[in-house]
Amino acid sequence: TKPFDYEAVRKKIARLMEVVELRERVAQLEKNLERHACFENIVTLSPSMERVLDRARMAAATDAPILLLGETGTGKEMLARAIHAASPRARMPFVAVNCGALPRDLAESELFGFHKGAFTGAHADAPGLFSAASGGSIFLDEIGEMPKEIQVKLLRVLQGGELRPVGSTRPEHVDVRVIAATNRALAELRSGVMREDLYFRVATVVLEIPALRSRPEDILVLAQHFAGRVWRRYGREISLSRQAVELLLAYSFPGNV
């Protein structure tokens, strides 16, 4: 109704925005809980993998930063999601970030957000991925690819729970549990790829996921699991012949696929 009561309009829009954001968050959380039910979705019979899961369960109950080590394809993100789902933060967001895919000149604004006017094209304030994960967990995959200048800012978040968006003069508080991962060897990571002070902050708990070739007892149980999934999806029964079993057991599984 004209003339506008600008304050009333602002309040009404703010309430609508809160409702929309709440609905989106609830939908996303329900989706996360449905797809990533703690550790039950991780199929294994391997004693070495069970030891990793036992430590992961204990770590999940804390807020300690976790570093996951393992080759590409060993399931680092799946384990990170399971840790989040088993933690007190389970009903809050889980945000996955591939550090190697972040453009170097945009990494800071992507992670920590920016304020209006911070650079050309910054027409409004924008929260970063850390703010999007507020109250929950952020998964920093391939953290070894993160530029050193961004590592310094990440260290500040881990030390004091504060971040500073690009173009801002004031720090903002953020409550996020950091789970990092890398396919690099631990020695390589500590030899200059990652700042030493950041390493000790991120690696409060270190979990190393063994490659599939080092846990052959899991090969057939995984094969049966995936065959069962195909059966349920397409209605076609799949069985493994003796020759198929022998081929699977003799394969080295490069890339853990």
Side-chain angles (χ1 to χ4, degrees):
T1 304
K2 295 180 181 179
F4 291 123
D5 179 344
Y6 288 104
E7 189 57 33
V9 171
R10 274 196 291 268
K11 286 181 179 177
K12 186 164 286 192
I13 291 173
R15 282 197 297 272
L16 288 169
M17 291 291 287
E18 286 174 5
V19 171
V20 171
E21 287 173 3
L22 185 60
R23 284 177 181 166
E24 287 178 348
R25 175 169 283 193
V26 168
Q28 185 60 48
L29 295 176
E30 286 176 348
K31 191 191 234 179
N32 285 347
L33 290 174
E34 184 180 297
R35 291 185 179 178
H36 309 288
C38 295
F39 297 95
E40 286 72 23
N41 283 356
I42 299 178
V43 178
T44 184
L45 292 176
S46 162
S48 62
M49 193 65 187
E50 285 292 352
R51 285 192 292 272
V52 172
L53 295 183
D54 286 343
R55 292 193 64 210
R57 288 186 186 96
M58 288 190 289
T62 74
D63 262 347
I66 297 175
L67 177 62
L68 304 179
L69 304 176
E71 295 178 5
T72 299
T74 49
K76 297 187 289 296
E77 182 171 345
M78 188 174 189
L79 182 57
R81 288 183 181 274
I83 291 168
H84 172 76
S87 76
R89 297 173 177 265
R91 294 196 171 274
M92 300 305 285
F94 175 92
V95 176
V97 185
N98 186 333
C99 297
L102 288 174
R104 193 177 186 92
D105 54 341
L106 296 177
E108 184 179 356
S109 58
E110 286 280 326
L111 291 172
F112 308 119
F114 58 84
H115 276 201
K116 179 180 178 181
F119 48 82
T120 303
H123 301 302
D125 293 356
L129 294 169
F130 269 86
S131 295
S134 184
S137 306
I138 190 165
F139 174 58
L140 300 176
D141 196 13
E142 301 308 336
I143 193 170
E145 310 305 317
M146 183 179 284
K148 289 285 181 69
E149 58 270 22
I150 305 301
Q151 292 185 24
V152 175
K153 294 180 180 293
L154 175 59
L155 181 62
R156 183 177 181 84
V157 175
L158 288 166
Q159 284 177 331
E162 288 185 347
L163 59 81
R164 183 173 295 173
V166 177
S168 173
T169 58
R170 294 182 180 179
E172 297 177 7
H173 178 73
V174 65
D175 174 25
V176 177
R177 199 249 184 97
V178 173
I179 305 174
T182 181
N183 59 13
R184 294 174 182 263
L186 197 59
E188 183 185 359
L189 198 67
R190 297 187 62 182
S191 67
V193 170
M194 184 183 289
R195 288 174 56 98
E196 189 175 39
D197 46 6
L198 178 61
Y199 169 80
F200 285 115
R201 285 285 179 178
V202 168
T204 304
V205 178
V206 178
L207 301 174
E208 187 163 5
I209 305 174
L212 186 55
R213 63 182 173 276
S214 69
R215 42 188 176 103
E217 56 272 81
D218 279 348
I219 292 170
L220 292 185
V221 71
L222 283 167
Q224 295 285 7
H225 168 75
F226 289 119
R229 261 183 28 182
V230 172
W231 184 2
R232 289 190 297 274
R233 183 170 181 180
Y234 298 107
R236 295 179 61 184
E237 183 176 357
I238 294 176
S239 60
L240 298 175
S241 66
R242 174 180 287 275
Q243 185 183 14
V245 168
E246 290 173 354
L247 285 169
L248 284 169
L249 292 177
Y251 191 56
S252 63
F253 289 93
N256 297 286
V257 177

